[in-house]
Amino acid sequence: MRPIPAAAGDLDASAKVAARNVRCVETSTALLTDQYELTMLQAALRAGTAERRAVFEVFARSLPAGRRYGVVAGTGRLLDAIADFRFGTDELDFLTGNGIVDEPTAKWLSSYRFTGDVYGYPEGECYFPNSPILSVEGTFAEAVLLETVVLSILNYDSAIASAASRMAVAAGDRPLIEMGSRRTHERAAVSAARAAHIAGFATTSNLAAGRAYGVPTGGTAAHAFTMLHDSERHAFEAQLASLGDGTTLLVDTYDVERAVKTAVELAGPALGAVRIDSGDLADLARRVRAQLDALGARATRIIVTGDLDEHGIAALAAAPVDGYGVGTSLVTGSGAPTASLVYKLVARADRPGEDAPLRPVAKRSTGKPTIGGRKRALRRLDVHGVACAEVVTVGEPAPGVRDRLLQVPLVRGGEIVGREPLTAARDRHRAVVAELPPQARQLSRGEPALPTEIVADGPQGG
């Protein structure tokens, strides 16, 4: 990690100090956390309770208002973050230099490695209120430090995937393009593209997501490219010369009808697509389709963009549209920018040691109670293979012939075991949504598509 160099003479003294402390690339995830994780650790080390076994669970008390289901996303990113959760010299110098931890705590952190177990819902799976989508088991000291980074990743990625899934349901067989990079933080844009692809988006405009995660990328030209040239015709000629007749031409910079006529004159019936980014999209799509057909460009597709969300996409279902580009609504969770997941202690031992039995613990706070005990979950299906309940058991479940266990091992003894290709999560999500009852795919406001049944009399585990 190297400091960003400052140009001589253009920063005051305090700014130069700040610049020296900025790093271009963060290789450790250990400081992606809240300070109270470290103050709890320090106090637990002093009290002798830090090495007690503990189980933390991640769940949502409720879904965003009116949503029928949530989508788990970010697990793959989380596994990478756990692997990189290390306190090196730079991190420890910062913590001790600012009086955040004492020397004994810093010494403990210097050899930190998560050696516990993590299991949870795999990426692409759907979840409901109180679904135990992630369980982290280890010593209290090891597990408590992961709280903030776990929630940072899962809350954002799951919110984006949940919104993207609704958009994919609304779009049906028509492809979706993720194009929200300019509407969010630059790193969040990469995560959003990944989460959206899991939930059904075909491509992204974000090249970093393409490089990091293999999400298919695409993009052609903006209005600025048209306005750069002396005429729309010249702009189209330049784009066609560079990208070929199969490209997508943006036709609403000036006059849509004239632009479509020019586009077909230049590219002929082989023109790949036209894009409409403003105006009454349904009306324009019908007019453009009729014009394209009359000009012989029957195979030319129509792509629409411009402040679309799942409801806007659904409203265009009857229009002759071949694909949708979505930006702002996607990267902001379409009104639900967080999944509101929490990370709560649900079981702990009374003494250190692997053989110490776990006992359930729970909050009694008004409005924020928790259910104690280490939990497992299964999806109950009816005789037609349609999901009918989310069953959460305290202790080990006894699955029936039509029950599907939901949690999978992700980390065993500190070793990452749950990595999988992004295509696996994408395929899983498609299958899971198809398994849900029809009301799950309705965009109107309603209750969660499945009831969550808590079975609290199972064994607690050892």
Side-chain angles (χ1 to χ4, degrees), residues 114-351:
F114 180 74
T115 63
D117 300 327
V118 180
Y119 56 92
Y121 287 33
E123 281 197 279
E125 183 61 81
C126 293
Y127 69 88
F128 299 90
N130 293 305
S131 294
I133 69 172
L134 196 80
S135 296
V136 179
E137 181 171 346
T139 66
F140 175 83
E142 285 189 357
V144 75
L145 290 184
L146 297 179
E147 175 185 7
T148 302
V149 73
V150 166
L151 292 179
S152 294
I153 292 172
L154 294 184
N155 263 316
Y156 183 73
D157 289 34
S158 296
I160 302 309
S162 298
S165 181
R166 287 163 58 86
M167 294 173 189
V169 167
D173 294 333
R174 298 170 176 177
L176 289 159
I177 307 162
E178 187 283 312
M179 45 196 306
S181 296
R182 291 167 290 172
R183 299 294 185 265
T184 189
H185 185 278
E186 67 272 15
R187 299 309 304 172
V190 183
S191 305
R194 181 185 183 278
H197 189 60
I198 289 172
F201 274 60
T203 58
T204 179
S205 65
N206 189 287
L207 294 178
R211 183 179 69 171
Y213 302 116
V215 180
T217 62
T220 52
H223 293 102
F225 183 77
T226 300
M227 293 185 288
L228 166 70
H229 292 81
D230 295 336
S231 70
E232 193 166 54
R233 176 178 291 272
H234 290 161
F236 287 177
E237 286 174 338
Q239 185 173 330
L240 290 165
S242 175
L243 300 177
D245 294 345
T247 191
T248 300
L249 295 177
L250 181 60
V251 296
D252 71 332
T253 305
Y254 305 119
D255 179 83
V256 172
E257 183 177 355
R258 185 178 65 185
V260 171
K261 182 175 182 293
T262 301
V264 178
E265 284 178 0
L266 293 173
L271 177 62
V274 296
R275 177 163 75 97
I276 308 169
D277 187 54
S278 59
D280 185 332
L281 297 178
D283 178 63
L284 285 172
R286 285 188 287 268
R287 288 163 49 194
V288 168
R289 181 75 272 159
Q291 185 181 6
L292 288 170
D293 291 349
L295 294 170
R298 295 183 177 276
T300 300
R301 296 170 295 116
I302 298 174
I303 308 299
V304 296
T305 58
D307 295 325
L308 290 173
D309 60 11
E310 61 267 44
H311 301 290
I313 293 168
L316 292 166
V321 172
D322 298 289
Y324 309 92
V326 187
T328 302
S329 290
L330 187 280
V331 298
T332 57
S334 195
T338 175
S340 297
L341 303 174
V342 295
Y343 185 96
K344 298 300 179 185
L345 182 68
V346 296
R348 57 96 168 168
D350 289 328
R351 57 177 173 80

Side-chain angles (χ1 to χ4, degrees), residues 78-128:
L78 175 58
L79 295 179
D80 292 340
I82 292 174
D84 292 338
F85 204 91
R86 303 284 187 269
F87 292 86
T89 301
D90 286 349
E91 289 76 27
L92 294 172
D93 285 350
F94 168 76
L95 295 175
T96 56
N98 288 278
I100 295 169
V101 300
D102 59 19
E103 289 297 335
T105 304
K107 182 178 180 181
W108 188 93
L109 290 171
S110 68
S111 60
Y112 177 87
R113 301 290 186 276
F114 180 74
T115 63
D117 300 327
V118 180
Y119 56 92
Y121 287 33
E123 281 197 279
E125 183 61 81
C126 293
Y127 69 88
F128 299 90

